[in-house]
Amino acid sequence: QASIGTIYQIDLDAEHTGKHRPQSKRNISWKYGIPEKTGDGAIKVGEHEAKLVWSTHSGKYAIYVDGEEVHSHTAKGSVLEYKWKWDHAKACICDEDDSQSVRMRIVACRKPPTRSSKDFRCYEFIIAGKVFRELPVLGSSNYQNNAEFQNEEMELNNGQLMSILDIVEPGWRSDGFA
């Protein structure tokens, strides 16, 4: 795992783009910033994008980082999950022992399960062991909106599922990610 400093969230966009049935194709884009050294030694935040394109009808999906295809496959069932390590400087997947790599993971489901909150998140992106929505927002001094987080914890305590991560990795809130 590279020591890359703070990773920032920039934007999240989820669109349903199927030709005949919009909900049958999903395009989810997570834009994030990583501090990078410039040629003169200064540090700037470079913008990057992870993207999931998923046909929920056929199950076919593809994952991209900065426009480069990372993985494509056909999901069996209603949940997909893929983990990889990415080298942003070389724009490629890398081995476990590459010191410049960043762990990444996408977990998604076709539709919210029963017993879930009306705000259930079907798509999650984990980067460097942190959930995208919990990263600090670029240009903001707040790490996260505490009122929103407390509200989510309250709904969880009432037995409501808030995220696909609550299903595939139930202890993620307290234990973090391996």
Side-chain angles (χ1 to χ4, degrees):
Q1 183 73 24
S3 176
I4 55 175
T6 302
I7 300 173
Y8 298 93
Q9 64 171 294
I10 295 173
D11 189 37
L12 166 63
D13 187 34
E15 294 182 287
H16 293 195
T17 58
K19 286 181 185 168
H20 301 292
R21 294 179 52 218
Q23 68 273 23
S24 70
K25 186 170 186 182
R26 319 273 170 86
N27 281 300
I28 299 90
S29 166
W30 295 269
K31 290 185 180 167
Y32 57 96
I34 294 181
E36 300 168 349
K37 280 189 180 171
T38 60
D40 61 2
I43 303 249
K44 70 173 184 76
V45 175
E47 185 173 314
H48 299 278
E49 177 184 44
K51 187 172 189 171
L52 169 65
V53 178
W54 185 19
S55 168
T56 56
H57 180 72
S58 69
K60 291 180 184 175
Y61 69 93
I63 295 171
Y64 303 87
V65 174
D66 295 339
E68 297 292 324
E69 185 174 302
V70 172
H71 181 74
S72 61
H73 197 63
T74 301
K76 307 283 189 238
S78 61
V79 175
L80 73 82
E81 177 176 11
Y82 187 70
K83 297 178 186 181
W84 71 100
K85 289 186 87 173
W86 187 258
D87 184 322
H88 287 87
K90 297 176 187 170
C92 65
I93 291 180
C94 47
D95 297 331
E96 288 295 317
D97 57 353
D98 186 319
S99 65
Q100 296 305 306
S101 65
V102 178
R103 289 183 330 234
M104 299 180 148
R105 175 181 176 194
I106 288 178
V107 184
C109 63
R110 289 184 187 174
K111 63 182 183 178
T114 56
R115 270 192 51 240
S116 64
S117 161
K118 64 179 175 43
D119 298 318
F120 184 86
R121 289 180 311 283
C122 290
Y123 321 105
E124 294 283 16
F125 174 51
I126 297 102
I127 180 166
K130 295 180 175 66
V131 178
F132 176 83
R133 69 179 182 83
E134 293 179 350
L135 296 172
V137 175
L138 186 61
S140 167
S141 60
N142 292 343
Y143 253 88
Q144 70 188 61
N145 180 334
N146 286 331
E148 181 182 308
F149 183 72
Q150 289 168 349
N151 184 37
E152 183 168 299
E153 291 298 315
M154 212 165 62
E155 288 194 44
L156 257 178
N157 292 337
N158 289 334
Q160 298 220 305
L161 300 170
M162 295 300 301
S163 164
I164 182 61
L165 292 174
D166 293 330
I167 297 167
V168 299
E169 199 158 328
W172 75 274
R173 292 173 194 276
S174 56
D175 303 337
F177 300 101

